[in-house]
Amino acid sequence: MNSAGNAIWDEFSDRYRTRSAIRADFTNNRVEADRSNSYPYIDSRGLAISVTGRYNGNKRLVEEQLAEADTFTRSNSSINSSRASWDLEHSVGIPLFMELPPNIDYNYSVNITSNGSGSVSGVHDLAPAHEVAVYIPKSGMSFLVYTKDNEGFNNLFPTHGNQRFNASF
């Protein structure tokens, strides 16, 4: 899953705010971070966070800061030769604004079969933009299964709702 300002999906792009990349290795029965050559910037947990930039009225970058993940948890991982599943929860602040607005939050659950079909469902804030994609290494297959545009960072406050999603592939 990606969260970004108003990004256009590219599974190999480095233009994102946060990215989680988890893979199901059916050969070795492991659910783990995807640290392949495709995602060299993913850490051992399966997370990458890039810098957040602030721009002036002339669209010139005036400041960059890196946020730390407040929460990044993968749980309920299960795999056998034909099925894998896991849950993921992530919460990260916006470093340029200290404690305001509240963190960007998302969580999702994945169920996938060894033939590449499956489902992902979860909940995320209405900002920033969110994308969910499936990439099957060594197959050349990658596709976007869910996308939601940024509806404004004021939507991070608790008085605004969250977006639920459910996608099959």
Side-chain angles (χ1 to χ4, degrees):
M1 177 157 198
N2 269 0
S3 64
N6 278 313
I8 296 173
W9 172 251
D10 175 355
E11 67 268 24
F12 303 114
S13 172
D14 62 358
R15 294 184 50 96
Y16 58 88
R17 296 285 188 275
T18 68
R19 172 173 280 173
S20 57
I22 310 299
R23 72 182 192 140
D25 177 348
F26 289 101
T27 303
N28 297 304
N29 285 338
R30 293 191 309 235
V31 174
E32 61 190 1
D34 185 352
R35 300 189 74 198
S36 64
N37 292 334
S38 303
Y39 301 112
Y41 39 81
I42 295 291
D43 72 13
S44 62
R45 302 172 298 167
L47 174 66
I49 300 174
S50 68
V51 296
T52 298
R54 185 170 62 88
Y55 296 82
N56 66 16
N58 296 324
K59 299 183 180 179
R60 287 209 170 116
L61 182 66
V62 295
E63 182 180 9
E64 287 184 321
Q65 289 187 23
L66 184 64
E68 294 293 325
D70 290 336
T71 303
F72 187 80
T73 307
R74 186 170 24 107
S75 60
N76 300 321
S77 295
S78 173
I79 190 166
N80 60 36
S81 62
S82 61
R83 295 191 165 294
S85 62
W86 63 90
D87 298 330
L88 190 136
E89 178 183 1
H90 185 210
S91 179
V92 64
I94 302 173
L96 299 172
F97 302 115
M98 304 304 257
E99 297 300 317
L100 288 175
N103 282 1
I104 297 166
D105 303 304
Y106 63 84
N107 63 67
Y108 61 84
S109 298
V110 174
N111 292 289
I112 190 167
T113 65
S114 58
N115 72 6
S117 65
S119 65
V120 58
S121 61
V123 178
H124 64 77
D125 292 325
L126 297 174
H130 292 271
E131 297 92 17
V132 178
V134 173
Y135 168 65
I136 302 174
K138 300 178 184 173
S139 73
M141 290 180 55
S142 67
F143 44 95
L144 197 59
V145 296
Y146 173 78
T147 184
K148 179 72 173 163
D149 288 338
N150 183 351
E151 293 190 17
F153 286 96
N154 60 316
N155 286 296
L156 295 176
F157 289 95
T159 55
H160 297 271
N162 291 321
Q163 178 70 40
R164 294 191 179 281
F165 65 95
N166 190 354
S168 296
F169 49 91

